[in-house]
Amino acid sequence: GAGKSTQNRRIVEWLEEQGKTVIETREPGGTLVSEQIRQVLLDTRNAGLNATAELLLMFAARSQLVEEVILPALAEGKVVVCDRFADASYAYQGGGRQLGVETVAIVEQLVLKDLQPDLTLLFDIPVEAGMKRVAGRGEADRFEVESLRFFERVRNTYLERAAANPQRFRVIDAGGDETQVWQQVRRVLEAGLGL
C-alpha cells in the first residue's frame, strides 16, 4: 500500500526520458518459471506454506530472474529497475516470518553471491495506512491477509536494513499523494545520477 509499483513505472519512464535503456522486473516473477512460483506464493489456498519453504521459493524465483534477465541486462549496460529484491526476503521472511536475518543471508549468498542493487528506495508508510490502501484494491493475496503485527515486523526490518546500509538505501515518505512521493523519488534519482 505504499505506492511502490506506481512509482516504479514513473521511475522507468523518467530513466527512459534521460536516454537510459531500462529493464523493469518484479518479484516474485519476471520469468516464466518465476511467475509460476509467484502463483504458489500468493495463492491464499497455500496458507500452510511454512516460512522456510516460502524463503526458498522466493529465492528460487529470484535466482531464475537474476540468471535470465538481470545479469544479461547488466552485461549489456542496461539499467534494471526491480519491484522488490533480496531486501524483501529479509523483511518478509526474516522479519515478518521471524526466520531471522542470518538465515536469509545464508540463502542470499548462495543465490546472489555479491550482487546488490546500486540504489534501493524504501517506500515507507505506517502499517495501518498502508493496509487501508490495500483494502481498496480488491481480493487480498496470501501476504496481504497477514496481521498488523506481521507487517510491523516487516516494516521494522526494512527500516533496520536502511539504517544499516545508508549508502544504498533512500527512505521515501510514502504517506503523501502520488505526486508528493514522486517529487521525493525524482530528487533521489537526480542526485544519484548527478543531474
Side-chain angles (χ1 to χ4, degrees):
K4 170 186 52 61
S5 298
T6 299
Q7 294 301 324
N8 261 16
R9 284 190 295 277
R10 292 188 82 160
I11 291 167
V12 169
E13 290 169 8
W14 185 84
L15 287 167
E16 289 173 342
E17 289 169 6
Q18 308 311 306
K20 307 292 183 189
T21 303
V22 183
I23 300 296
E24 183 179 11
T25 69
R26 72 173 182 173
E27 283 206 352
T31 71
L32 176 63
V33 170
S34 299
E35 289 294 331
Q36 291 172 338
I37 295 171
R38 178 186 181 88
Q39 294 303 314
V40 171
L41 285 163
L42 299 185
D43 192 332
T44 54
R45 294 175 299 178
N46 296 328
L49 185 64
N50 74 63
T52 302
E54 181 180 283
L55 174 67
L56 294 173
L57 284 170
M58 290 298 297
F59 271 101
R62 187 169 293 130
S63 178
Q64 202 68 31
L65 178 66
V66 165
E67 292 297 323
E68 279 188 43
V69 178
I70 294 176
L71 290 178
L74 293 174
E76 294 172 5
K78 297 176 182 173
V79 175
V80 179
V81 176
C82 298
D83 189 336
R84 292 201 180 93
F85 200 58
D87 294 300
S89 286
Y90 282 93
Y92 280 82
Q93 288 80 47
R97 301 278 186 233
Q98 299 177 299
L99 285 177
V101 296
E102 299 83 7
T103 300
V104 179
I106 291 167
V107 182
E108 177 189 32
Q109 182 57 40
L110 174 70
V111 173
L112 300 180
K113 282 60 169 187
D114 295 321
L115 181 65
Q116 287 281 316
D118 294 317
L119 176 65
T120 300
L121 302 179
L122 173 55
F123 294 92
D124 184 46
I125 188 169
V127 172
E128 289 188 18
M131 296 305 289
K132 284 180 186 173
R133 288 181 180 180
V134 168
R137 293 198 305 216
E139 191 173 334
D141 66 34
R142 194 175 68 82
F143 288 96
E144 293 169 342
V145 298
E146 286 293 340
S147 69
L148 287 177
R149 285 182 28 218
F150 172 85
F151 283 109
E152 288 291 350
R153 290 191 303 269
V154 168
R155 181 182 186 217
N156 290 337
T157 304
Y158 267 129
L159 291 171
E160 288 166 8
R161 288 194 62 74
N165 299 284
Q167 73 287 352
R168 179 166 60 87
F169 273 88
R170 300 296 179 276
V171 179
I172 304 294
D173 178 358
D177 65 29
E178 181 181 333
T179 301
Q180 292 168 326
V181 174
W182 170 245
Q183 289 169 348
Q184 294 174 70
V185 170
R186 184 171 176 164
R187 282 193 297 272
V188 167
L189 294 175
E190 288 171 344
L193 295 175
L195 300 176

